[in-house]
Amino acid sequence: YSPVKSTEAVSGIIKKGSNISPHTGSNENKFFRGISSNFDYGFMAFSLFYSYRKTDATLDDSGKITSLKTDGYHRTVNEANKKNNLAETFYGFSADILPLENLHLGFLFGKTDLSRSFSEDSKYRHIPSSLPFYSVSYSYYYKNYSISGETAFNSGNKASINNLYVNVTKNIKFVTSFRYYDQDYFSYYWSPFG
């Protein structure tokens, strides 16, 4: 989930997943560099993905990560010393099942492996250098109603969001969203609602 600037107050609450697509943004940190593939089989779709890239990080004297550098600048010697200090591998698969025209079920597994671990002095010290996660998602549409949601798990932590959308009339829409994030839930590539 990510914030949306719009005059439509409820459009940003219910999100739909996107297929594999090229990176077109200006953020130099939240993207993948690798290979992916989609397979369709009847009412099911499968995706495989693999990414490997170097990213910037500040290291302590023992070579552990103290912070992740995300501004993309390498103008000074100090900034240049942080360049490409960390290798990140991300891989996994997703499965989407559409057993009915108005019902979608999804499953996602991914794993992030970092070439270095975090320092005990880092705010990320509780995050392992190898972080698997998985999520299940659903959406169901019937006439003017829809429900949707996703729940993700990693390292014994959970993040969940569930939505109800009712199109009462042409000009009146009712949307409610319930979200829950464990305090220690973390994912390198999430952008949660709220």
Side-chain angles (χ1 to χ4, degrees):
Y1 296 94
S2 59
V4 175
K5 291 183 181 178
S6 171
T7 57
E8 177 66 45
V10 297
S11 66
I13 294 176
I14 297 176
K15 298 283 190 172
K16 294 183 181 180
S18 58
N19 291 326
I20 297 167
S21 61
H23 175 69
T24 57
S26 60
N27 189 326
E28 296 185 14
N29 299 288
K30 293 204 173 192
F31 72 95
F32 300 112
R33 178 174 287 133
I35 188 168
S36 61
S37 186
N38 290 326
F39 306 95
D40 291 328
Y41 185 76
F43 61 89
M44 298 181 288
F46 303 95
S47 296
L48 300 170
F49 48 89
Y50 174 85
S51 170
Y52 174 86
R53 68 184 186 90
K54 297 268 191 158
T55 190
D56 299 348
T58 304
L59 306 177
D60 65 12
D61 293 337
S62 66
K64 292 189 174 186
I65 306 164
T66 58
S67 65
L68 300 172
K69 186 173 180 326
T70 60
D71 61 14
Y73 292 124
H74 305 106
R75 304 164 295 189
T76 66
V77 172
N78 189 35
E79 289 173 346
N81 287 338
K82 299 173 185 179
K83 185 175 182 178
N84 294 335
N85 282 338
L86 180 63
E88 175 188 84
T89 305
F90 180 74
Y91 55 92
F93 71 92
S94 68
D96 294 300
I97 303 167
L98 296 117
L100 304 171
E101 184 178 331
N102 55 348
L103 175 64
H104 169 264
L105 304 171
F107 177 79
L108 171 69
F109 170 79
K111 186 174 182 190
T112 302
D113 289 323
L114 302 178
S115 61
R116 299 175 185 270
S117 60
F118 287 98
S119 164
E120 288 300 315
D121 298 329
S122 171
K123 72 176 184 177
Y124 302 113
R125 64 186 165 275
H126 67 282
I127 300 167
S129 58
S130 182
L131 185 65
F133 71 92
Y134 62 94
S135 73
V136 291
S137 62
Y138 68 93
S139 63
Y140 178 74
Y141 302 92
Y142 180 74
K143 295 185 179 179
N144 295 338
Y145 303 88
S146 72
I147 58 172
S148 62
E150 181 178 15
T151 301
F153 304 89
N154 72 9
S155 301
N157 298 301
K158 176 175 68 172
S160 183
I161 186 162
N162 295 278
N163 308 296
L164 170 66
Y165 179 95
V166 180
N167 195 1
V168 180
T169 69
K170 181 179 177 183
N171 297 317
I172 299 174
K173 297 173 185 170
F174 172 79
V175 178
T176 186
S177 183
F178 173 77
R179 62 187 170 92
Y180 172 81
Y181 307 131
D182 280 342
Q183 181 177 349
D184 290 332
Y185 181 84
F186 180 82
S187 175
Y188 292 100
Y189 290 98
W190 75 330
S191 45
F193 170 76

